[in-house]
Structures are given as C-alpha cells and as structure tokens.
Amino acid sequence: TTNHLRHVESMASLPSGAGKISHLNAVILGEALASEENDFVFPSDDFSRQALIPSPHKYLEMYKRSIEDPAGFWSGIASSEFYWKQKWGDQVCSENLDVRKGDIKIEWFKGGITNICYNCLDRNIDAGLADKIALYWESNEPGFDAHLTYSQLLHRVCQLANYLKSIGVRKGDAVIVYLPMLMELPITMLACARIGAVHSVVFAGFSSESLAQRIVDCKPKVVITCNAVKRGPKTIHLKDIVDAALVESAKNGISIDVCLTYENQSALKKESTKWQEGRDVWWEDVVPKYPTTCDVEWVDAEDPLFLLYTSGSTGKPKGVLHTTGGYMVYTATTFKYAFDYKESDVYWCTADCGWITGHSYVTYGPMLNGATVVVYEGAPNYPDSGRCWDIVDKYKVTIFYTAPTLVRSLMRDGDEASYFVLISRLLSLQYVTRYSRKSLRVLGSVGEPINPSAWRWFFNVVGGSRCPISDTWWQTETGGFMITPLPGAWPQKPGSATFPFFGVQPVIVDEKGTEIDGECSGYLCVKGSWPGAFRTLYGDHERYETTYFRPFPGYYFTGDGCSRDKDGYHWLTGRVDDVINVSGHRIGTAEVESALVSHPQCAEAAVVGVEHEVKGQGIYAFVTLVEGVPYSEELRKSLILTVRNQIGAFAAPDKIHWAPGLPKTRSGKIMRRILRKIASRQLDELGDVSTLAEPGVVDQLIALADS
Ligand code: WTA
C-alpha cells in the first residue's frame, strides 16, 4: 500500500463526531480560540448521515479500490453513469509516466466513442430533467436576470452548433472564445463540444496582445465574442479588444474570416459597436435562424475537447490540452463527491469560464450531473459587499464555491470606516448577516491556499458554522480536484485541503526526488495517472515532458510545495516555481518581466511574488532603467500600463522597485531568493550575498526600497 493509505487507515479509526466543537457557534470573526488551534472541525451528524461519503471508513474503502484497481474503479463509473456510443477497447488506461522509459503518454478509455455535450444535455433530458433549470443568469445590474431549462439550453446549443457547422467549423478545428460570464459562454463551449470542435476560451480580462498570441498559436476557424460587458460600474468594450487582437494576429499571418459577436444589450447597444463588414456577424442575426436540433459528432475518448492557455515559468503561455472521455468522467465524479451533490442542489461557482475552474466546475462537472447552475456576470461587491449573499438568497443557492481572495476582501470590507480590525470586521459582518443564507449547505474554496482566519470567517459567518468547506486543491493541468475534503466524511482542519480524491496518489519528495514519509514537507508530485490529467501542451510535447515529468522522473511534478502533518493531512504551501498566484489567477513572473522589458526605457526587470493581505500574493517588480533615464512617477505609471496592455489589468504590478542593478551570480543568474527577501523586507534574512558578482547592488536596492 502507499504511504497515504497508511495515513488514511489511521484516520479511519477516529471515532466519528468525536470532540465536536460547540463553541464554534459563537461568532469568532475568523480568529481561532486558543484551544481550537489544533482541533478538528467536524461535519454535523445530520450532514454526515445524508452524505454520499458519510465517514472516513467509506472513503477508505473506495480509495483503496481506486488505487488497487484503477481500471476497474474508473470503468465501473464510466459505464454506469455516462452514455457511450461504443465501449472502449481492452485497455481502460494505457500510460507511460516515466521519461526514462520513453515518451510520456496518457490514455483513458481509448476507443470509447462518446460526446460530452450529449452527456451534459441529451442524456439528462432523456432521464427526465428537460424542465429542470440548467442555468440561472444574474446580470451585473441587480434586477436583471434570465434562465434556461435543460431542454431550452439544448435548443440554444444546437442552434449555435448548426451555425458553426454552416461556416465550415469541423471536428478538430479550434474556436477562440472571448466572452464574459453570459449564458452564451457555456452555450458556446457545449456547442463546440457537440460538433467535435476544440474550444479555447480566453479570459475576457486578457489584453488584445495576449488574445492575439493565443489566436496565432491555435489558428482558430472563428472568434466568438460580445460587444461589451459591465463589471461593477465600468463598461468594458470587449469587441474593441478583439478588433485590435485581430489586427495583431493578421500581422503574424493569421487572419480570421468570422468574428461572431453577441450583443450584450445591458452593456452596449449594437449601434455603438465598431463593425467590420464581411468579417463581423451579429449572433442574433444568424444563430436563432438555425434548427434547434443538431446531430452529435461522436468522438473518441482521446479526441481533444479543449485547449486552455496557462502561465508557466517562461514568457510563452502553455496550451494545456484536455481530451474528452477521461476529463468527462473525472470532472463529473469529483463534482459529485467533493460537493456531496444532490439533485435538489442549486450550485454557484464564482469563477469565470475563462479559467479552468469555470471549465470543469461551472460548465462540465455540474452539467454532467444535471445540476442547476448560477452564472453571475458582474463584480462580487457590486453594488455593495452584500451582493453575493443577495444572489445566494435569491436563487436559494445550496453549494457556494469561490476563491479565498473573495472571502478575504468581503471579510475586510467596511475597513475604511475604522482603524480597528475588530470594528471593521463587525461592520463587514452586516453585509453578510443582512441576508439569510439559510439555503447554504456546502462551501468550497479554490485557487490558492486559504489561510485559517479566512477559513473560519467563511465557515462561521458565511456558513453559520453549519456548512463544511471543500478546500479543493488542483490545477489547470489536472482537469479536476486532486486533494479535497469530502464534506460528510472528513473532520476538517482550517487551511488544509485534507486528503486525495479517489485514484490520486500524492507524494512529497525532497530535492533529490526521493519520496518522504510521515510528517514532512517538500515538493508535491503525483504518482500514476488519473482520468482528468492533461495529455500534452498543444504543439509542444517536449515542453510538456520537460516541465512536468523530468524534474522528478517517474512522477508528475505539480510546481507546488506541500507538507503533511502527523494526521496525514495535506497543507499546500504555494508555488515553488516562477509562477505567482494573484487573487487566484496564475501569472508567470517571466510574462510580467517580458512585458516590462518591452517598454523602451526598461533595460531589465525581475518579478517576484510578495504576500498580500487580500490578493494572497501581490506582484513586485524590480526594474532597471536604460542608462541615463531618471526615475519618475510618470515612468512608474507607464511601466504599469505597459503590463496592463500586454497581459491584462489583473497582472499589473503592485509595486515597482527601482533597481540600479540586480543581484546576480557570477554566471549572470538573477538571485530571486534575495529579491524575495528584499521585497518582503526580511532584510535580516538575506543570507549569503558573497557569491554575487557585485554584492554592492543589495545595499543599493535596500536604500531605494521605499522611494
Ligand atoms: C494553486 C486553479 C492551495 C496551486 C484550479 C496550484 C491552490 C495553482 C488551491 C493552480 C488550493 C489551487 N489550495 N493552492 N485549494 N487550488 N491552488 O492552474 O498553487 O489556475 O498549483 O488552477 O493554484 O492554478 P490554476
């Protein structure tokens, strides 16, 4: 058995419900009571009794089976809960995960013929869910909303699928989608899947340059967007951004024939939208004319479903490729168990479909389960910090899944009025307690480690000490949850993602790649494959192997640090590579650096992450200017603007630190370790600087720290 299994076996012997913490009923504003520090937070007996996985024993039984017989475990689920036009071949899974033994290859259910859109819609409708609400859409402006039942959703999807076919989109063609959180976004994803086209959704906060880069990389047949979106009081003209991106990509030899544009009436009228005749097509002029039924394109389980670009340690974003069958089985199963899904649930995930969370847990995972999903267009604190709870009450949301950064920002709101944390926390409480939230039963967290005080505030204040929190650790690459509580089974520890999902074998290794056991901390890797794993980086299998499978041969390397405590609980400690996590958004330091150095007055830049109270990490940039250029406030602003224009507003540096020189080794490598210490002002922990080519630069940097 694996190390993990031994831990779980010891956990399973815990008496369930032991040591229940009654004082949690007191509102403790996110602060731990002294005695609670090392205590478990137990699900209530009522919750556990009704849960799909009601105890550690049950988890253990299933987990054991999933590890000892992965093929049997996953094929059992795949054949009983999904529709396959044709069953897969003899092998459920065929894989090589060891670079020393040849090319990395992962295949699940190869030869199986299916369609994920069919499984999301047609199959659920046949099972009696035709009139169940599939999507509730809430506009940025309170009072404006819409909804679609499963059968209405199918009609919309088919109309778009037929239109896409009519303009020549075929199986395997790429489609770039640059849409905000309108119902048209999941509709578009499902329509692509229905005809076997490969969608690549680009988060609508990316700049035109980033969008162009993705268009050039995947060469789509069509780009789908809308004219504008409102986020809070601001109107963002998305179509203008697309126009600029299309000019840019044409310069790089990729011209797009069709730009399908949805009129988002609440944000901008048709008449005010810039238009290029011949290329631009209004969605409402064409799509509704097509039939509401559309034959499914049956695809192989290993045919590509989507590409999603994500940040890595070099400047060029990586096109993470997911295929159909394994991803389908994995997202549906993780959704079901990690949120203890019931047919009566109303589910709301605040993530945008532009990120993996929106792919797996706004669209596919919930829809495969026939769930009712809330999609919210706007900003979580608009018109005020009570908006989320207003939406929860309005739709009677039972499962609420969000990011720690949102929890921390809501926890803090009301701050301006007071210098005292306690008073400001009390003020912020009103935004929550004004609403009932009594429909809530499960909470979820994703994107970055959730600090214990935010965890407690989420648990006690938002969830009324009643709702377990599924702190789901996973990545764009993993497709679905990897380490996550199962809400009815596990006593929780605030801030720990607890234990692996079925079929997942996390291992912690030291620098040499040796697996370490017991209470330990090190690099988080995964042994073996799971159905939802990504299969390659689009057009660059070499980079796939180098980044993920070469650092610790025999394992998939996650890029995260992790420790395991005496009870076997996992605590994610953040990225150990050159990726930072800002408000749950993944950003490569190299991407920000290359944006900065594109500024004509910037000679060199080095970017590190620093702790940030709300965002988790902030972006801290050391900038060396071209010889003779003086520091100025204006230049600082123009550097930040350059990053906004090249990547997007979410990647704008929080701090520019003027650097006459950067600390480098004699071989010219930037010593980021030292920069991180300077950025976080841990000046007495700089360590040995004598190996630097010019040790004097450190003093210069410190002298300029607050200028
Ligand atoms: C981080 C988002 C701690 C982690 C789904 C990972 C987390 C990166 C958690 C992936 C969590 C995500 N606890 N850290 N619950 N969830 N992360 O690809 O560093 O956007 O490697 O996928 O986010 O970010 P990505």
Side-chain angles (χ1 to χ4, degrees), residues 415-672:
D415 242 357
E416 300 83 304
S418 160
Y419 294 105
F420 300 102
V421 177
L422 190 67
I423 296 177
S424 73
R425 293 268 175 90
L426 280 170
L427 287 175
S428 70
L429 272 186
Q430 301 173 358
Y431 284 114
V432 189
T433 52
R434 201 189 284 165
Y435 300 94
S436 132
R437 293 158 289 108
K438 71 171 190 293
S439 55
L440 289 173
R441 96 188 170 83
V442 178
L443 302 174
S445 170
V446 61
E448 46 172 325
I450 180 163
N451 46 308
S453 79
W455 194 101
R456 291 196 173 86
W457 190 85
F458 198 25
F459 182 78
N460 291 322
V461 178
V462 175
S465 306
R466 183 182 74 239
C467 313
I469 299 177
S470 288
D471 174 7
T472 59
W473 174 82
W474 60 298
Q475 311 178 294
T476 305
E477 292 87 342
T478 68
F481 304 151
M482 298 293 280
I483 301 182
T484 177
L486 298 180
W490 289 119
Q492 301 198 294
K493 295 192 186 192
S496 165
T498 73
F499 294 104
F501 192 72
F502 305 129
V504 175
Q505 301 180 67
V507 293
I508 298 178
V509 302
D510 63 16
E511 306 83 75
K512 295 195 200 75
T514 311
E515 206 174 318
I516 41 182
D517 190 20
E519 251 184 288
C520 63
S521 70
Y523 302 99
L524 180 64
C525 291
V526 184
K527 190 154 72 182
S529 83
W530 62 98
F534 68 140
R535 305 301 199 243
T536 190
L537 292 178
Y538 181 67
D540 203 348
H541 200 69
E542 179 64 34
R543 189 178 177 195
Y544 172 72
E545 299 187 339
T546 316
T547 313
Y548 301 100
F549 296 92
R550 273 188 211 287
F552 301 107
Y555 302 118
Y556 162 72
F557 173 48
T558 65
D560 276 324
C562 180
S563 62
R564 198 186 285 133
D565 70 17
K566 62 180 189 329
D567 301 311
Y569 281 63
H570 293 81
W571 300 79
L572 277 301
T573 53
R575 301 288 306 194
V576 293
D577 55 7
D578 295 323
V579 170
I580 47 186
N581 202 320
V582 181
S583 300
H585 298 158
R586 217 168 123 169
I587 299 166
T589 52
E591 282 173 84
V592 183
E593 287 162 6
S594 79
L596 286 167
V597 297
S598 75
H599 190 288
Q601 289 169 316
C602 174
E604 200 172 14
V607 168
V608 296
V610 281
E611 209 172 295
H612 187 286
E613 209 187 326
V614 172
K615 300 190 207 172
Q617 281 190 301
I619 302 180
Y620 195 110
F622 292 89
V623 172
T624 306
L625 297 177
V626 168
E627 194 75 52
V629 174
Y631 307 136
S632 71
E633 188 48 34
E634 205 183 321
L635 182 51
R636 188 193 305 272
K637 286 192 184 131
S638 118
L639 284 162
I640 292 174
L641 188 66
T642 303
V643 179
R644 295 175 73 102
N645 290 341
Q646 295 220 352
I647 307 176
F650 64 93
D654 297 279
K655 165 87 184 169
I656 302 279
H657 187 138
W658 303 122
L662 293 169
K664 290 181 187 166
T665 60
R666 290 193 192 98
S667 59
K669 192 168 177 279
I670 295 175
M671 299 279 282
R672 282 167 197 280

Side-chain angles (χ1 to χ4, degrees), residues 79-294:
S79 42
S80 62
E81 298 184 24
F82 301 88
Y83 177 78
W84 299 82
K85 179 98 183 146
Q86 186 185 305
K87 199 78 182 285
W88 46 93
D90 304 334
Q91 267 192 306
V92 177
C93 169
S94 105
E95 62 191 24
N96 172 40
L97 303 167
D98 192 334
V99 278
R100 294 163 302 195
K101 296 183 186 152
D103 294 346
I104 300 294
K105 183 182 95 169
I106 301 170
E107 285 178 350
W108 283 84
F109 311 114
K110 176 88 181 156
I113 304 292
T114 188
N115 181 290
I116 195 169
C117 173
Y118 184 89
N119 273 283
C120 287
L121 304 179
D122 311 57
R123 183 184 52 107
N124 283 322
I125 290 168
D126 291 347
L129 301 187
D131 297 327
K132 184 175 177 182
I133 301 286
L135 292 173
Y136 279 123
W137 178 74
E138 171 80 6
S139 148
N140 181 66
E141 303 306 322
F144 291 89
D145 54 33
H147 60 263
L148 291 175
T149 62
Y150 267 87
S151 65
Q152 289 167 331
L153 176 61
L154 175 63
H155 292 167
R156 297 279 187 98
V157 166
C158 287
Q159 287 180 318
L160 179 61
N162 283 320
Y163 168 74
L164 291 175
K165 283 207 287 197
S166 80
I167 58 165
V169 179
R170 297 281 173 267
K171 182 182 166 194
D173 289 341
V175 172
I176 284 262
V177 186
Y178 189 72
L179 280 170
M181 289 300 275
L182 303 174
M183 290 199 282
E184 283 63 28
L185 180 43
I187 288 173
T188 302
M189 295 165 78
L190 290 164
C192 290
R194 191 166 192 88
I195 61 173
V198 181
H199 57 72
S200 183
V201 182
V202 178
F203 171 58
F206 274 108
S207 68
S208 59
E209 303 223 3
S210 294
L211 177 58
Q213 195 176 24
R214 287 153 175 76
I215 291 172
V216 170
D217 194 67
C218 78
K219 306 175 187 58
K221 266 274 166 63
V222 49
V223 172
I224 303 182
T225 188
C226 77
N227 55 352
V229 65
K230 285 197 78 179
R231 266 189 82 78
K234 272 191 296 208
T235 304
I236 303 154
H237 293 245
L238 296 181
K239 176 67 166 47
D240 292 353
I241 298 173
V242 174
D243 286 347
L246 293 181
V247 169
E248 188 62 30
S249 48
K251 282 191 207 148
N252 289 285
I254 304 299
S255 64
I256 299 298
D257 298 333
V258 183
C259 176
L260 183 68
T261 309
Y262 181 79
E263 183 193 13
N264 187 13
Q265 288 188 6
S266 61
L268 185 71
K269 294 276 176 264
K270 254 184 182 165
E271 306 74 56
S272 322
T273 307
K274 287 196 205 103
W275 208 244
Q276 184 170 319
E277 281 309 331
R279 181 195 70 190
D280 299 344
V281 179
W282 283 113
W283 176 305
E284 7 327 70
D285 287 352
V286 290
V287 176
K289 294 193 180 127
Y290 282 84
T292 55
T293 57
C294 172

